[in-house]
Amino acid sequence: MTRFIDVILPLPLYSTFTYRIPEVIGDVKIGSRVLVPFGRKKFYTAIVVMVHHNEPQGYEVKEMVSVLDEAPIVRHPQLKFWSWISEYYLCSQGEVYKAAVPAGLKVESETVITVNPDYEDTEDVKLGERERIIYDLVSSRDKVQLNEIANATGFKNVESVVSRMLEKDAIYVAEKVMDTYRPKTEVLISLNLERGDAEGLHRYFDMVHRSNKQEALLLAYLDLSRWLQSGTLREVKKQELLARADVSSAVLSGVIGKGILKQYKKEINRFANRVSRVQEKPVLSEEQSRALREIRDSFKEKNITLLHGVTSSGKTSIYVHLVDEVLKNGRQVLYLVPEIALTTQLTQRLQQFFGDKLLIYHSKFSDNERVDIWKKLLNSNEPCVVIGVRSSVFLPFANLGLVIVDEEHDTSYKQQDPAPRYNGRNAAMMLASMHGAKTLLGSATPAVEVYRNAELGRYGLVSLLTRYEDIEMPEVEVVDTREARRKKEMNGMFSGRLVRLCRESLEAGEQVILFQNRRGYAPMVKCKQCEWIPKCENCDVSLTYHKHLHTLTCHYCGYTMQLPTMCPACKMPDIEIIGYGTERIEDEVEAVFPNDRIARMDLDTTRNKNSYEKLIDDFSAGKMNVLVGTQMVTKGLDFAGVSTVGILNADTMINFPDFRSDERAFDMMEQVSGRAGRKSKQGRVVIQTSDVCHPVIGFVKSHDYLGFYRYEIGEREKFNYPPFSKIINIYMKHRDDSVLTEMSVRYSNMLRQVFKHRVLGPEAPMVARVQNFYIRQIVLKMENEASMPKVKLILRQIYEEMLKVDSRMKQVILYYDVDPM
C-alpha cells in the first residue's frame, strides 16, 4: 500500500505538504528529517509530522528524496510546542521550525553553475568578454556558486550575465545539496595487534629498538591505553600520545609506516568531556531559606511561582538549591537568562556546583556547537541543567522538571525579527506545562502582567525584600540637570555631584558604572549654518556617528557613510556633533579621570564570541575602574567592587511614546541601581534628569516597586492596556508609500467589519521607513479571553479576501506581533 508523509518545510507557509514515500525506503518516523523537492529545482530538509496512506486529490504528489535520520531529531513534545507557538504568535509552523532547529541540521540546496563541455562559439552565438571570463572560471573549478563567481570576478550583475550564458547553452544550472554541519573529530591511535598477543608485541619492540624515540612512543601508547592491564582498553588521542612520549609527528608517522600503530578519526561531542570541580551548594541565609521553603510549598499548589527578590538578595543561590533537587530526582532543568552577558557570568558560578551537568546554549556559539548540544540532549535522558537565552526553549528536552526564568521582566526575552515573534518567558511557561514541569519566575522588578497574575492568585508569590547579609539598598540622589546647567555645574554629560562621588569611589579603590542607553559616539550630527542633518538613504532616521570608525551609521539597516568635513548642502565646514552615545561618554570619562582604566559595554564592543566574557572578567578582577554601558549593564550582573552608579540621562527613557515606557524606565533604572553596593557597604546612585518630579523617578529613589506597580496598574486599567487587554500589532510594508497608504486603509476597514472598535489605525510608526520599505501599523486591542487560533483563522481569511479584492496585496509584506514589548 502506498505510503505518504506530511511534512513541515522551513518556509513561511501556513500548511504542511504531502509527499509519497518511495517503495525502496523503509521505515519513516515522525520527527525525522527527510530531503524533499519543492518548487522547480529546490530541495529542503523537512520534518515529518504524519505518516499515512491517504493520497491527496487534485494534484500530482511528488516523491521524497531520502531519509536523513535513523531516529527522529525532534521529539513529540517539541512538535506540540511548535504548534502552540504558531497558533499563539500568528505565524507558520515553517517559521517556527526555521527558528527552532540549528542551521546545521537543515540541509538546503544552493544554485551552482557547471559548464557545457560541448559548447563552441559559432558565428551566431558567441560569448562576450565577461561571459568568457565566467566560463573559464567555472571550467577551472568544475562547479561554482553564484556568490563565488561574484566574489572572484567582482562583477555586480552576475545573474544577468549567467542568464545570457544559459540562453546560449554555454552553462548549466544545477542544484547542489549543502549540509552545513561539520562534526568535531579527533585523531586516535591504536596498536595494530590483538590484545594479549605477547609474541607480536615482542616483535614490534624488535622493530623499533634502534630508535629511542620510536621505542618511547610505543611504551607511551602501552601506558596510556592500559594495554598490559586488566579492564577496558582506553582510546588514545594523537596529541596526548605525542605529549606523553615527547616526540614529533614525524616519529609517529615512522611507527605508523612500519605497521605497528594506526590512526583513525572519531566523531566526538564538543561538550562531552567538559569537566570542572564540583563544590557544595551555597549556604543560605535565614531569609533565603524561608523563601526556598515557600517556593517548595507554592509548587505543591501552583505550577508557576514568582520570586520577587530585590537586587542582591541572593536569588541565584536559591535557584542553585532548586536545580540540585530536580537533578537528584533524575530530571532536567532549563535556566533562562535574557542576555548572553549573564550566561557568561552565571556559567562560571554554576559550573562550580553542577560540573559536567551544565550545558550552555546561545547565539554566540557556532552552528556546529549548537548542533552538538542539540544531539547531546536528543541522545540522552540524563539529568542536566541548560543555561541559555530565549532560543533555548526549542531544545529537545526529554524529561524537563523545572524552568527558571531569571530577570523575567526583561524585554530581551521578546523576539522581534524574524518570526516567530515570541516571548521567551511566556513560551517557557507553556513548555514547562507540556512537560509537567514547574516554572519559577525571578525578578527585582517583575513585569506588570506577571505581578498581576501573582496578585490574583494565578501564580504563587514569594517575596525576598532584603539584601544578602542585610546590606542596605543603595542611596539614590536625583540631580536636576536644568538647574545644574543654569548654575554652570555640568561638564558635558556629568554633573558636579556625580563627578565628586565617582572621584571618591575611585580614590577609595572602588569601581563606577555609568549608564547611557544609546551606543555610538553621538546620535546626530548637523551643519551649524544650514542645519543639514545626514539621514539614512534607506530609512527615515538620522545617522549615528561612530568616532573610532569615523563613520555615520544607521542602526536599522547598517548603511554607512564617512563623516563629511564640508556640509554637502551649503559647502561650509561647520559640521557639529550633537548628543552623547556610550563611545563619546567613554572619551569624556577619560578626560575627567585620566588616570583610571575605562571599559565600554555595548553592542559595538561585544560582537565577538568571547568579548562578553573577557570584558566581564576584566571588570570583575578590577582591571578596569569605570564601566560605561548601555542597558547591557542592567542585566543582573554581579560586580563586588561597584560603589557608585551614574544614570546620565533618565529623560530619554521616561519620555518615550509607548504605554510601556514607564515600566521600562523603572526597570532599567532600578536594575542598574542594583549594581551598586552589593557586597560590603551601601552603594550610591545618581540619576540625572530634567524632570525631577516624574513619578517614576520618585519610585526609583525609594526603591518602591509596589508603589510603582499600583501606579502603573491604575494607568493601564484606565486606558484598557495589558494586562486588561491583549495587544496585537499588525505591520504592513511596501516600497511605494502611496500604495501602502491605500492598501492599509482598505485592509483596516475590512478588519473593522469583523473586530469593530478593537481596531486602531493605520498609523505610521515613529520610524516610518526601514530598508526602503514604508511601514504602517494597525493595532488590535482584544479581550484576554479571545481564542488566538480563532483570531489567526479570521486574520488569514481577511487577508485572502483582500487578495481577491486587490492583487497588489501580494506585494505587501504583512506580519503580526502578539504581546509587543
Side-chain angles (χ1 to χ4, degrees), residues 221-393:
Y221 174 80
L222 295 175
D223 180 32
L224 287 170
S225 65
R226 303 179 185 139
W227 182 275
L228 300 174
Q229 302 171 24
S230 60
T232 305
L233 192 67
R234 181 176 176 271
E235 290 184 317
V236 178
K237 300 175 185 176
K238 176 182 175 180
Q239 294 304 320
E240 180 186 26
L241 177 60
L242 294 175
R244 174 65 67 89
D246 193 22
V247 299
S248 66
S249 295
V251 176
L252 175 61
S253 297
V255 178
I256 291 173
K258 291 178 177 179
I260 298 171
L261 295 176
K262 59 184 178 182
Q263 70 178 26
Y264 59 98
K265 286 184 178 181
K266 180 182 177 181
E267 182 178 335
I268 62 169
N269 191 297
R270 287 172 170 81
F271 307 95
N273 299 316
R274 182 167 50 80
V275 296
S276 62
R277 183 165 53 91
V278 179
Q279 298 180 359
E280 291 296 318
K281 298 188 299 295
V283 177
L284 300 183
S285 68
E286 187 177 327
E287 273 293 283
Q288 288 173 317
S289 297
R290 174 196 58 77
L292 180 59
R293 288 193 302 271
E294 290 184 10
I295 291 169
R296 289 182 186 134
D297 292 340
S298 176
F299 278 158
K300 293 175 183 176
E301 299 179 2
K302 302 281 197 312
N303 290 324
I304 302 170
T305 293
L306 168 64
L307 174 60
H308 176 207
V310 298
T311 55
S312 197
S313 58
K315 295 186 288 295
T316 305
S317 295
I318 295 173
Y319 299 156
V320 168
H321 280 258
L322 288 168
V323 170
D324 186 63
E325 292 170 10
V326 174
L327 295 181
K328 284 179 178 176
N329 288 330
R331 302 193 71 182
Q332 298 168 330
V333 179
L334 173 59
Y335 190 138
L336 282 183
V337 292
E339 288 273 7
I340 296 168
L342 265 182
T343 66
T344 299
Q345 196 173 45
L346 269 176
T347 296
Q348 298 166 355
R349 186 173 179 185
L350 295 180
Q351 276 183 336
Q352 299 172 1
F353 305 117
F354 304 116
D356 287 347
K357 292 181 179 178
L358 180 70
L359 297 174
I360 307 110
Y361 191 83
H362 57 63
S363 60
K364 292 289 183 181
F365 277 2
S366 70
D367 192 65
N368 288 337
E369 288 171 320
R370 291 199 292 273
V371 170
D372 277 347
I373 294 173
W374 186 284
K375 288 186 171 182
K376 183 175 177 67
L377 280 170
L378 190 68
N379 298 327
S380 171
N381 294 338
E382 295 178 3
C384 64
V385 52
V386 176
I387 180 171
V389 293
R390 62 176 181 258
S391 58
S392 304
V393 298

Side-chain angles (χ1 to χ4, degrees), residues 39 194 220 318 347 407 416 501 593 599 605 626 693 726 796 815:
E194 289 292 327
I318 295 173
T347 296
E407 310 295 341
Q416 300 298 336
L501 290 179
F593 304 109
T605 61
V626 181
C693 297
K726 182 183 296 294
R796 189 68 193 167
Y815 63 88

